[in-house]
Amino acid sequence: MTPRQPLRLDRSDAPPALSDRALDNLRFIRETMERAGSFTAISGSGISATGVIALLAYAVSGNDLNDPRWFLTWIGAAPLALVTSVGSTYRKARRMEVALSGALARKLALAFLPALITGAVITAVAVRAGWFVALPGVWLIMYGAAVMAGGALSTPIVPVMGASFMLLGATALGAPVVLASVWAEGTRHVLLNALMAAGFGGLHLLFGTAIARKYGG
């Protein structure tokens, strides 16, 4: 009779250490929570600051939409407002210890950017065609679409802000057609520039203040 050999486990089949399994579980939980959560580091004070920039642009631009000063003022204010808002969000995210390079932040950027890029393309076409009267509506509605899409991954108040911008944009796009036979061109330009101030100035101040109060800055 052959003698029984003692049972020996191959070292490659040894179970992972308990600490390694715990670390893997924690990593999985953190990534799952990151993917499923919402990005709450949007800076309300930064959004309010962009509202102030927009109101200054409104005061400087004048009301003649065919005047290069109007176009250059609003175009110049856009990157300044973007840098201000992104910088404020970056500081708030660091304070809240939220990773801006995480999966959720990347999804937020991917949701926000397509509508903005589309708006930039339409702007180039409208400028080329000399259709400056369409720009307020295009800017408001495309920005609202970007905010609404990105806001789906953020706090509930952000999509509401986006929808408000889209409503103003639709009004600005329809007003020149509806009022063409009622108001003179100069009056329509005053109305459209006022809608720009109401949106990029008023809505940013209103929702920025609400976000800052409810979500810590």
Side-chain angles (χ1 to χ4, degrees), residues 110-217:
L110 289 174
F112 188 74
L113 289 178
L116 288 187
I117 294 172
T118 303
V121 172
I122 296 175
T123 296
V125 173
V127 170
R128 178 70 176 174
W131 199 29
F132 292 95
V133 72
L135 291 180
V138 169
W139 290 343
L140 287 164
I141 204 167
M142 296 311 298
Y143 178 74
V147 170
M148 201 166 180
L153 300 169
S154 185
T155 53
I157 194 173
V158 179
V160 177
M161 181 175 72
S164 301
F165 269 96
M166 293 186 73
L167 180 62
L168 276 183
T171 303
L173 285 172
V177 178
V178 175
L179 301 175
S181 60
V182 181
W183 287 355
E185 182 181 17
T187 305
R188 296 198 299 271
H189 286 194
V190 171
L191 171 65
L192 291 174
N193 205 31
L195 289 174
M196 289 281 288
F200 293 111
L203 289 181
H204 274 151
L205 282 173
L206 176 65
F207 284 94
T209 302
I211 291 171
R213 288 183 175 177
K214 190 169 183 179
Y215 298 99

Side-chain angles (χ1 to χ4, degrees), residues 16-137:
L18 183 60
S19 59
D20 292 340
R21 295 178 60 182
L23 287 174
D24 288 342
N25 290 337
L26 285 174
R27 187 181 301 111
F28 173 78
I29 293 172
R30 185 180 62 190
E31 292 176 350
T32 301
M33 290 180 66
E34 188 178 18
R35 287 194 296 270
S38 60
F39 188 81
T40 58
I42 297 292
S43 172
S45 58
I47 292 175
S48 296
T50 63
V52 174
I53 293 171
L55 292 178
L56 291 174
Y58 170 73
V60 173
S61 65
N63 289 317
D64 185 359
L65 274 59
N66 295 319
D67 188 339
R69 184 182 69 169
W70 179 87
F71 177 75
L72 294 175
T73 300
W74 281 106
I75 282 292
L80 179 60
L82 179 63
V83 169
T84 301
S85 182
V86 171
S88 299
T89 296
Y90 175 76
R91 289 190 294 273
K92 181 178 177 180
R94 288 195 62 182
R95 178 164 50 84
M96 296 175 64
E97 298 182 349
V98 175
L100 285 175
S101 59
L104 186 59
R106 286 195 299 274
K107 288 181 180 179
L108 184 66
L110 289 174
F112 188 74
L113 289 178
L116 288 187
I117 294 172
T118 303
V121 172
I122 296 175
T123 296
V125 173
V127 170
R128 178 70 176 174
W131 199 29
F132 292 95
V133 72
L135 291 180

